[in-house]
């Protein structure tokens, strides 16, 4: 690398993590200019020659795509190769091309102009679709059109690279990504594209680190400059300092080691020996946790504590800021589900207004605050809805204690939808709505509440403090804060049974879900979803995968027959010690 470049300042650009891994190397700037098309008139005598030229360009495009399809089939398999089959189908669309030929003959215009205009109509139509998938597929149509145009103009595209490099481009089509991968490609980074873009899809399939949607990365680098593409966190470093390089190399090493250790478990479902599957998701507070959560093999995010966005802020983040943040999380986890909990302010968390309360935990908290602040609530709900276009976002309300509150909160969801419709902004019309069961009143009303929503998620952190009248943050009474108190166990059984009877799924996002000593018990009680601190995820999965549901049910039944917390703990501890001597319990 030339000396003067080592002194260039490091530039950091954030995008969306599209394919995991870290790539360090020189940039190959892949620039593909949009074809310039001129409208020209031709004479009737020139028509046969123009048609022949067009036929030739279509035939050459067909041959190229056929080759790409074969390569994709051999390297990626049927599933991923479908993209190219779809492009071939566009080329083979006889109705479309008959129109093109007819227009050349009737309008006496050059082939480039007619191809550009006619296929452009399809492209524009698809781009305005409300469906994100159709919009993404519009690029296929555009790609086919550009391929024909390139062949009409007899232009060649660079596809052979010298040495290993990190490809940086404004955008990469599926074909570009694949063809370039025949070289030694270390990583990809593009200005545009989402997690479902072809670059992302194919990079994952090819196991090449990639970051997409990195704004103007292609205008910020020069050919040959050194870059790092961090596909775990979605960050691109241009001219990284030596310290950054060392840090990222270390990260690469750590992640590799970690991945090797967990790789057996990571892609396996949280399923018992007799095939009973539960969902094992992660709780999330900060954006930077996403990469770790994904690495841990979470089935989704069962609780995103959105109020963490308020830390250190004087005012609530704007709808735009929130929408961007929620979208980033949803995209990074796609197609897995992300449950966004609306701001749970108050209690021991951030306060919305400077209110002084003697008993904040029993005061103005969670949904109570948001229902009193409709503007803030609607802003957040619109932001959440706007992030739901890929249909992998759900919304959840904290601190629900009555049916009235749920209905009011749902009313605001409908209002937010109405406002977005009026603005023509897309969202998931069928977004799932759930509540936290963390106030005893909600546990008592579980079945009625279940009729109002799509899911229940038990918040044991608060539920235990309210049920046992023990402040969750008070050292003096910490010995009385008992997860395995028989009243807690019976309450949990009640919520799970009643919720399920009304056909909603019941999960848990309180700390208890991530306590290895509680796993068999909760499984036996019929819990459908465990949302846990990311760190413990593999351990919990290991426990779930080594028991039969039948046994777990038996364990739960016995635990529920006991009278004191000591007895329950002693029983569960001995059961666990017997089965998992290497898992530390407290
Ligand atoms: C809970 O109360 O169990 C919960 C998950 O919510 P938080 O800890 O954020 O109050
Ligand atoms: Mg709570």
């Amino acid at each position: 690398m030339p000396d003067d470049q080592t002194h260039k300042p490091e530039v950091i650009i954030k995008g969306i993590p599209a394919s995991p891994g870290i790539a360090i190397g020189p940039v190959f700037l892949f620039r593909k200019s949009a074809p310039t098309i001129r409208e020209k008139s031709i004479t009737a005598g020139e028509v046969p020659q123009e048609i022949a030229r067009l036929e030739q360009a279509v035939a050459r495009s067909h041959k190229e795509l056929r080759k790409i399809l074969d390569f994709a089939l051999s390297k990626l398999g049927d599933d991923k190769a479908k993209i190219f089959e779809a492009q071939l189908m566009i080329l083979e669309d006889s109705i479309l091309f008959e129109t093109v030929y007819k227009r050349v003959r009737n309008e006496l215009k050059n082939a480039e102009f007619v191809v550009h205009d006619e296929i452009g109509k399809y492209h524009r139509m698809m781009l305005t679709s409300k469906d994100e998938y159709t919009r993404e597929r519009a690029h296929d149509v555009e790609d086919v059109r550009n391929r024909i145009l390139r062949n009409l103009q007899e232009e060649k595209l660079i596809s052979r690279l010298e040495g290993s490099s990190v490809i940086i481009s404004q955008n990469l089509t599926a074909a570009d990504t694949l063809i370039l991968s025949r070289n030694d490609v270390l990583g990809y980074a593009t200005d545009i594209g989402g997690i479902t873009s072809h670059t992302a899809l194919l990079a994952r399939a090819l196991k090449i680190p990639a970051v997409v949607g990195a704004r103007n990365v292609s205008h910020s680098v020069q050919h040959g400059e050194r870059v790092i593409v961090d596909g775990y966190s979605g960050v691109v470093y241009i001219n990284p300092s030596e310290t950054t390089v060392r840090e990222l190399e270390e990260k690469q090493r750590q992640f590799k080691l970690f991945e090797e250790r967990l790789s057996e478990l990571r892609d396996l479902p949280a399923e018992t020996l007799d095939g009973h599957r539960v969902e094992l998701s992660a709780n999330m507070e900060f954006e930077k946790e996403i990469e770790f959560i994904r690495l841990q093999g979470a089935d989704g995010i069962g609780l995103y504590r959105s109020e963490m966005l308020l830390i250190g802020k004087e005012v609530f983040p704007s709808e735009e800021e929130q929408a961007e943040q929620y979208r980033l999380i949803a995209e990074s986890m796609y197609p897995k589900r992300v449950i966004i909990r609306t701001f749970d302010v108050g209690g021991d968390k951030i306060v919305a207004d400077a209110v002084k309360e003697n008993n904040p935990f029993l005061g103005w908290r969670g949904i109570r605050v948001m229902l009193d602040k409709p503007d803030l609530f609607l802003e957040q709900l619109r932001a959440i809805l706007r992030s739901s276009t890929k249909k992998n976002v759900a919304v959840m309300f904290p601190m629900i204690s009555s049916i009235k509150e749920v209905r009011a909160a749902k009313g605001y969801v409908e209002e937010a939808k109405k406002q977005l419709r009026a603005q023509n902004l897309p969202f998931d019309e069928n977004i799932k709505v759930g509540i936290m069961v963390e106030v005893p009143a909600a546990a008592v009303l579980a079945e009625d509440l279940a009729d109002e929503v799509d899911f229940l998620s038990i918040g044991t952190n608060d539920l235990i403090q309210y049920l046992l009248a023990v402040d969750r943050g008070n050292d003096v009474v910490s010995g009385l804060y008992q997860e395995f108190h028989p009243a807690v166990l019976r309450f949990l059984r009640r919520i799970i049974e009643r919720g399920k009877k009304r056909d909603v799924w019941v999960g848990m996002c309180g700390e208890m879900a991530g306590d290895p000593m509680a796993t068999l018990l909760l499984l036996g009680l019929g819990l459908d979803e465990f949302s846990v601190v990311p760190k413990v995820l593999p351990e919990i999965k290991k426990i779930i995968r080594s028991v039969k549901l039948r046994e777990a049910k038996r364990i739960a039944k016995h635990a529920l027959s006991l009278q004191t917390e000591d007895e329950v703990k002693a029983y569960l501890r001995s059961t666990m010690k017997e089965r998992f001597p290497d898992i530390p319990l407290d």
Side-chain angles (χ1 to χ4, degrees):
M1 188 171 28
D3 252 344
D4 61 352
Q5 286 188 7
T6 53
H7 301 299
K8 276 199 175 175
E10 172 176 300
V11 177
I12 298 178
I13 298 185
K14 255 204 98 17
I16 297 165
S19 176
I22 291 172
I24 307 180
V27 170
F28 178 84
L29 203 51
F30 185 72
R31 279 206 204 285
K32 216 168 63 168
S33 49
T36 38
I37 302 304
R38 274 198 208 98
E39 179 177 350
K40 278 196 242 155
S41 295
I42 54 169
T43 63
E46 283 168 333
V47 166
Q49 189 194 342
E50 197 63 3
I51 297 282
R53 207 164 65 82
L54 179 54
E55 279 173 349
Q56 229 174 42
V58 172
R60 181 162 307 142
S61 304
H62 200 277
K63 206 166 134 195
E64 283 173 5
L65 266 175
R66 188 70 240 178
K67 243 163 107 180
I68 296 172
L69 174 64
D70 290 342
F71 182 57
L73 280 168
S74 68
K75 204 152 177 186
L76 304 168
D78 288 6
D79 201 28
K80 302 280 183 322
K82 278 205 179 83
I83 302 164
F84 303 105
E85 263 168 29
Q87 293 201 358
L88 267 174
M89 271 162 70
I90 301 171
L91 264 181
E92 287 163 2
D93 183 340
S94 56
I95 299 178
L96 171 68
F97 283 94
E98 258 164 40
T99 317
V100 172
Y101 290 124
K102 212 187 277 168
R103 281 188 61 185
V104 172
R105 276 192 212 102
N106 296 347
E107 295 173 25
L108 296 178
K109 294 287 178 209
N110 56 329
E112 279 93 336
F113 171 75
V114 179
V115 165
H116 188 263
D117 190 59
E118 194 57 38
I119 306 187
K121 280 188 207 158
Y122 273 74
H123 179 230
R124 281 192 297 278
M125 204 166 67
M126 291 172 82
L127 270 185
T128 54
S129 162
K130 283 215 163 134
D131 178 40
E132 179 133 2
Y133 186 79
T134 312
R135 282 205 305 278
E136 281 284 0
R137 299 299 81 88
H139 298 306
D140 288 334
V141 174
E142 189 186 21
D143 199 28
V144 171
R145 179 185 72 177
N146 291 347
R147 184 174 296 283
I148 303 172
L149 292 172
R150 214 173 39 244
N151 280 322
L152 272 169
Q153 299 180 337
E154 295 179 28
E155 264 180 43
K156 287 257 167 300
L157 252 193
I158 304 166
S159 64
R160 294 242 171 274
L161 315 181
E162 294 291 323
S164 0
S165 37
V166 176
I167 310 283
I168 296 209
S169 178
Q170 195 233 357
N171 191 16
L172 287 170
T173 64
D176 299 335
T177 314
L178 192 70
I179 290 297
L180 287 166
S181 80
R182 291 195 295 189
N183 302 281
D184 186 13
V185 172
L186 304 169
Y188 295 106
T190 59
D191 295 354
I192 57 177
I195 200 79
T196 50
S197 67
H198 287 323
T199 325
L201 241 76
L202 290 175
R204 281 197 292 278
L206 295 162
K207 300 197 168 35
I208 297 175
V211 171
V212 297
R215 301 273 160 86
N216 46 17
V217 67
S218 74
H219 295 286
S220 314
V221 282
Q222 281 169 20
H223 213 72
E225 272 184 330
R226 192 183 208 192
V227 287
I228 304 180
V229 168
D230 181 349
Y232 294 113
S233 62
V235 178
V236 181
Y237 302 82
I238 304 169
N239 294 308
S241 68
E242 280 313 310
T243 324
T244 306
V245 174
R246 270 197 303 277
E247 268 173 27
L248 271 287
E249 277 172 349
E250 178 55 22
K251 179 170 175 180
Q252 192 174 26
R253 214 179 53 81
Q254 292 285 343
F255 273 50
K256 273 218 175 102
L257 262 178
F258 196 72
E259 278 179 357
E260 272 161 26
R261 262 196 290 131
L262 286 175
S263 57
E264 307 145 37
L265 263 186
R266 195 185 47 206
D267 298 325
L268 296 174
E271 188 177 275
T272 59
L273 290 173
D274 48 354
H276 173 71
R277 172 130 196 214
V278 293
E279 204 168 308
L280 185 51
S281 297
N283 288 353
M284 167 183 162
E285 270 101 52
F286 303 105
E287 185 198 314
K288 64 172 183 344
E289 289 175 289
I290 298 180
E291 56 180 299
F292 184 58
I293 289 174
R294 297 193 320 167
L295 201 70
Q296 292 283 65
D299 286 329
I301 291 177
L303 166 67
Y304 169 50
R305 290 183 162 101
S306 68
E307 62 276 5
M308 294 299 160
L309 279 180
L310 309 175
I311 288 181
K313 294 244 166 70
E314 300 272 318
V315 286
F316 278 69
S318 69
E319 178 181 330
E320 261 343 289
E321 283 172 293
Q322 289 184 55
E324 193 170 320
Q325 177 73 18
Y326 303 151
R327 182 167 302 134
L328 187 127
I329 302 170
E331 291 229 333
S332 305
M333 291 304 295
Y334 182 83
K336 295 170 174 173
R337 183 181 54 208
V338 175
I339 301 179
I340 303 179
R341 177 173 75 181
T342 57
F343 296 134
D344 185 12
V345 284
D348 63 344
K349 300 181 191 168
I350 306 98
V351 277
D353 282 337
V355 276
K356 184 102 197 70
E357 295 178 279
N358 283 339
N359 251 323
F361 270 123
L362 302 181
W364 203 44
R365 216 201 128 174
I367 197 70
R368 300 171 185 177
V369 177
M370 298 318 279
L371 290 178
D372 285 348
K373 301 243 166 216
D375 292 347
L376 284 180
F377 198 26
L378 280 168
E379 238 169 48
Q380 183 176 33
L381 291 172
R382 283 195 304 268
I384 295 175
L385 281 162
R386 284 169 59 182
S387 74
S388 70
T389 48
K390 291 209 168 68
K391 305 186 180 5
N392 68 325
V393 171
V395 60
M396 175 160 80
F397 306 120
M399 282 295 288
I400 291 289
S401 60
S402 70
I403 303 280
K404 189 175 165 192
E405 280 169 344
V406 184
R407 289 187 183 152
K410 277 170 44 188
Y412 282 112
V413 174
E414 288 314 309
E415 174 62 27
K417 286 184 181 176
K418 210 162 97 192
Q419 294 174 351
L420 291 179
R421 270 182 224 117
Q423 287 175 270
N424 244 331
L425 288 171
F427 61 88
D428 178 6
E429 286 279 354
N430 301 314
I431 193 167
K432 298 278 186 272
V433 175
I435 56 159
M436 292 202 55
V437 179
E438 52 183 347
V439 176
V444 174
L445 294 175
E447 58 269 50
D448 301 271
L449 289 167
D451 285 342
E452 295 286 330
V453 291
D454 300 300
F455 63 92
L456 305 179
S457 183
I458 308 173
T460 45
N461 306 346
D462 278 311
L463 188 66
I464 296 172
Q465 81 161 344
Y466 294 131
L467 180 64
L468 304 181
V470 181
D471 182 344
R472 68 193 252 191
N474 182 344
D475 282 354
V476 183
V477 284
S478 62
L480 295 174
Y481 186 92
Q482 299 170 350
E483 256 178 20
F484 298 102
H485 190 298
V488 172
L489 266 48
R490 289 176 209 188
F491 227 33
L492 294 179
R493 176 179 59 186
R494 178 192 172 91
I495 303 166
I496 299 169
E497 272 179 13
R498 309 236 165 155
K500 292 180 71 159
K501 231 177 229 158
R502 297 297 174 98
D503 280 338
V504 300
W505 62 261
V506 183
M508 179 181 284
C509 57
E511 297 304 303
M512 190 173 183
D515 179 351
M517 209 153 94
T519 313
L520 297 176
L521 166 74
L522 297 173
L523 197 60
L525 287 177
L527 196 72
D528 299 302
E529 181 235 29
F530 294 62
S531 190
V532 305
V533 212
K535 199 165 143 270
V536 301
L537 212 139
E539 216 165 271
I540 303 294
K541 192 186 272 185
K542 194 168 145 195
I543 300 174
I544 295 171
R545 290 184 58 82
S546 26
V547 69
K548 285 194 176 137
L549 180 63
R550 209 171 351 107
E551 293 170 83
K553 278 189 175 156
R554 196 179 38 75
I555 293 167
K557 192 167 172 212
H558 185 73
L560 269 148
S561 72
L562 302 170
Q563 317 272 283
T564 67
E565 195 214 25
D566 288 342
E567 285 168 21
V568 176
K569 275 175 102 165
Y571 169 63
L572 292 177
R573 183 172 285 119
S574 72
T575 312
M576 284 296 289
K577 276 270 159 273
E578 204 179 286
R579 290 161 189 264
F580 309 98
D582 53 334
I583 292 187
L585 305 168
D586 35 66

